[in-house]
Amino acid sequence: MDGNKTFPSDFTFVGLFTHNKAPGFLFSVICATFFMAIMANGIMIFLIHIDPHLHTPMYFLLSHLSFIDMMYISTIVPKILVDYIVGKGTISFAACTAQYFLYMGFVGAEFFLLGLMAYDRYVAICNPLRYPVLMSRRVCWFILASSWFGGALDSFLLTPITMSLPFCASHKINHFFCEAPTMLRLACGDKAMYEMVMYVCCVVMLLVPFSVVITSYAQILVTVHQIKSEEGRKKAFATCSSHVIVVTLFYGAALYTYMLPQSYHTPLKDKIFSAFYTILTPLLNPVIYSLRNRDVAGALKRVIARHRGTCSVERK
């Protein structure tokens, strides 16, 4: 075997803190972002579950989006924080494989779910009278099952191919987690088959749901253009604005990571874009949906008022 090639062993992360002038401050920011993301998504799931006003298809899908956000940020950030505390960033081959598998599954599921959620907005604006039929409970579960199936397919397809490649002797990962493009750069074996499979997976994972988004919003724009009242147009745009912002943020960073040729990538850019959609986006999603959504804000106020009422009764 070539001396420059080795098989399963521990890897070492260069991480986010190595070249940072204030690693303690960055650690605090990442730690705060992680806990706020978990709390914000947890509150979103709780409100959707407990408030009858939010028992609609859109919020049903949104609750699962929050769950996915909680899961995939939890596969990455705790390891980053622990590595900083203990002062070393090593990860075993088995742990790296598990992280890669879980990350690809959760992110893949989010790609598909965000794309298919555009269909919900299309039905709500373009076919409001048929909304209960076109977005029935069965359709919602089908959307959810399709999203998880797409994520699982990415994991089961890409993980064995990636982790079976021989890696360079240094085993030093210039990143903060086991992400596909970084692992590819570390590999010393024949990458042709992997690059082809990865490209196909990325086309399916990104462009298929993205095409659903484009098609849905093209139809929405046509419908909104036909609305004569200014108030009706504003209401239609308000209905879609949160989803459009989330899709733009998440898909934009992911398109850079997975679709641009390797010649456009640098380790620093990869870390910035990856940190954006793996650490920051799970916090931004519930914030965007809650700040721009009166239903969620109303549900929160009702829960707080109910809690205060209960406390008042107990005191009496």
Side-chain angles (χ1 to χ4, degrees), residues 104-164:
M104 290 301 295
F106 291 133
V107 171
E110 179 144 345
F111 280 134
F112 285 105
L113 184 56
L114 278 174
L116 293 173
M117 283 174 72
Y119 171 75
D120 170 77
R121 296 298 81 207
Y122 157 74
V123 175
I125 293 174
C126 300
N127 293 283
L129 298 178
R130 299 187 64 200
Y131 186 82
V133 176
L134 296 177
M135 284 301 297
S136 64
R137 198 72 172 173
R138 181 180 295 181
V139 173
C140 289
W141 279 110
F142 176 76
I143 289 173
L144 196 60
S146 300
S147 301
W148 281 110
F149 176 78
L153 187 64
D154 285 327
S155 285
F156 281 106
L157 194 60
L158 290 178
T159 304
I161 298 173
T162 307
M163 304 312 289
S164 63

Side-chain angles (χ1 to χ4, degrees), residues 20-126:
N20 192 277
K21 294 180 179 179
F25 174 74
L26 182 59
F27 170 83
S28 300
V29 170
I30 293 174
C31 188
T33 301
F34 172 69
F35 285 109
M36 284 192 295
I38 295 295
M39 186 180 299
N41 283 289
I43 290 172
M44 183 71 76
I45 293 171
F46 172 74
L47 290 175
I48 293 170
H49 175 73
I50 201 170
D51 194 290
H53 295 85
L54 301 183
H55 292 175
T56 64
M58 184 185 82
Y59 291 110
F60 172 78
L61 297 176
L62 184 57
S63 67
H64 287 275
L65 180 68
S66 291
F67 174 75
I68 294 172
D69 282 338
M70 291 175 69
M71 291 298 101
Y72 87 71
I73 194 175
S74 298
T75 65
I76 298 167
V77 175
K79 173 64 177 168
I80 297 172
L81 301 178
V82 170
D83 285 349
Y84 178 79
I85 292 170
V86 301
K88 65 176 189 177
T90 57
I91 186 170
S92 67
F93 179 83
C96 186
T97 303
Q99 186 185 63
Y100 184 97
F101 178 84
L102 292 172
Y103 164 77
M104 290 301 295
F106 291 133
V107 171
E110 179 144 345
F111 280 134
F112 285 105
L113 184 56
L114 278 174
L116 293 173
M117 283 174 72
Y119 171 75
D120 170 77
R121 296 298 81 207
Y122 157 74
V123 175
I125 293 174
C126 300

